[in-house]
Amino acid sequence: MAPDTPLLDPPPSSTRRRHGLIKQCGLILPSLVIFSVGLLTLAGHRSQQSLSISAGVAHHQAPAPAPARGLREGVSAKSIPGNLDEEGVSYNWTNAMFAWQRTAYHFQPQRNWMNGFAGPMYHKGWYHIFYQYNPYSAVWGNITWGHAVSRDLIHWLILPLALIPDNWYDINGVWTGSATRHPEDGNIYMLYTGSTGNLTQVQNLAHPADLADPLLLRWVKSPANPILLPPPGIGPKDFRDPTTAWLGPDGLWRVAIGSRVEKLGLTLVYKTDDFVSYELLDHYLHSVPGTGMWECVDFYPVLVNGTKGLDTSAVGEGIKHVLKASLDDTKLDHFAVGTYDPVKDLWTPDDPESDVGIGLKYDYGRYYASKTFYDEEKQRRILWGWINETDTEFDDLKKGWASLQTIPRTVVLDSKTGRDLLQWPVEEIESLRLNFFCFDEVLVGPGSVVPLHIGSATQLDITAEFEVELISGKKPGEENRCDGGAAERSSLGPFGILALADASLSELTPVFFRPVQTTLDTVTTYFCTDQTRSSMAPEVFKVVYGSSIPVVGDEKLEMRVLVDHSIVESFGQGGRRVISSRVYPTRAIYGDARLFLFNNATDVNVKVKLKIWEMNSAFIRPFALDQL
Ligand code: DQQ
């Protein structure tokens, strides 16, 4: 078999082989249908001609959508990747297809545009989130703060808008910000960026009108606003997204703000004791050449050993600090682990080769503008990221909404590697688990696809553990990574699951591992998601996402995958690598969405243990304030 066998049309039925054993926890199911991958079962796209005949699908020329406003107004929104419908091609989506794309247990407002979160916090029994929201349209603009509350981070009640652009200092948008709770008086200081009428970015302060209100329904902007203007040397459009403040050894609070000087991405730090007047430090917390504007900077402590989260002001023995920046140039969230000197207010990466913006990413898929907060209720640090659409703005306008947030994830330092973070869906998500399917051991031979008979597969929580058995000699020196996708065969991989696949495998989204025998003694493993065959729609963005993934000691290869309609959120090796992917199938939807295992390696058998839960929908709707 050629190592780069193109995976084209599904094989005729005569090429299907029936063999194999599948042990469903407790039972043995004989003789499952196993398709031969080697015979090109992982279907690629058919030609446009056959597509329009077989699926009754037509393409039409769409009127050009209104241009994205972000870049002109000083912040880019849906500008990367470049799928702004340049050619005006759109699949002939039906309303039912659009309706299917809405998620069932990820947070998204009922309609219109949303981007990053601001000011997450816990207050009097409720988790609060605020989000960048356009109340009028499904594209970026008119940015206000939406507001929602939850008891458990899963079910959300949407409250009235918290902050709207109604002053000269935020008339062009109430942009991202962060909450700081004063440990003594309990006051909440909400710092946020305002974009002014002439598109200058300034920092502002707001307070809850009534701290005794668990819902924090009303917010008051400070009469001192704006409390910060761009300092000398910083461009008026390069000064945004204040962090949660942390308390220094001198009793003053520090607030970090993202910026740049030409291509030098950087973090400014201000000191304050009242959140109204500030002193700018004469040096940066940190900067990295060539990384461009740093948006949504986040800075927080993590335990070197331990799974508890830490308050943002924690420093001392056994604590490292994570610095994260959202890179405006690439729309990627990068972090690094390092050491913070609280006296000098300097942060140094542990590994300069893997500094912020040039090393690790939170998520190797579609993910941006993330933010953490410390949940004092459960002593954990929780991370959210914004997952934008990867269809066209034209289609977003037609469906009337755009983008969602990841499942909230706990984040801790990976004590095995000391340099990675482990992200994991909060435990509360398990309350949504419904029907359970357990497979003790599924043998997937080289070049096979195995269907998992679990019924409809659009809302799932999947955990899968892979045991790899070499059936021929080692082949050192192969160089395959994620890029070639699930269709590119190599000796030890790829293998994994096919999410959101239709029965004929004409659409599928593989989430997979690809171990590569780089030298005789070294195997480098990659964790990947391949969107290239995820949809018949020509205009949606389809790439292969992925990264190398450390596999430490005797760890088995394992993944957890949350499937929720148009999002496939995948966690490799306990969350050491994460890939969030948006996919827009046309056939593998509703009852026609299926789940399969596949092994496209040439020289290994894979035994897979699986636990799969069908997931309930979360309750996400407006708060019935009239019933209070
Ligand atoms: N989005 C906000 C900015 C932030 C950017 C504006 C990140 O505050 O820098 O909507 O996507």
Side-chain angles (χ1 to χ4, degrees), residues 75-76 115 132 140 143 175-176 193 240-241 295-296 368-369 386:
V75 61
S76 45
N115 54 289
Q132 300 278 283
W140 186 89
I143 293 297
W175 289 3
T176 299
T193 299
R240 56 186 180 270
D241 311 334
E295 299 190 301
C296 302
Y368 195 60
W386 163 45

Side-chain angles (χ1 to χ4, degrees), residues 204-215:
N204 300 310
L205 175 64
H207 288 288
D210 176 10
L211 265 183
D213 172 14
L215 298 181

Side-chain angles (χ1 to χ4, degrees), residues 433-447:
R433 288 173 170 176
L434 293 172
N435 294 337
F436 176 54
F437 303 87
C438 175
F439 300 90
D440 251 358
E441 191 178 286
V442 186
L443 178 66
V444 195

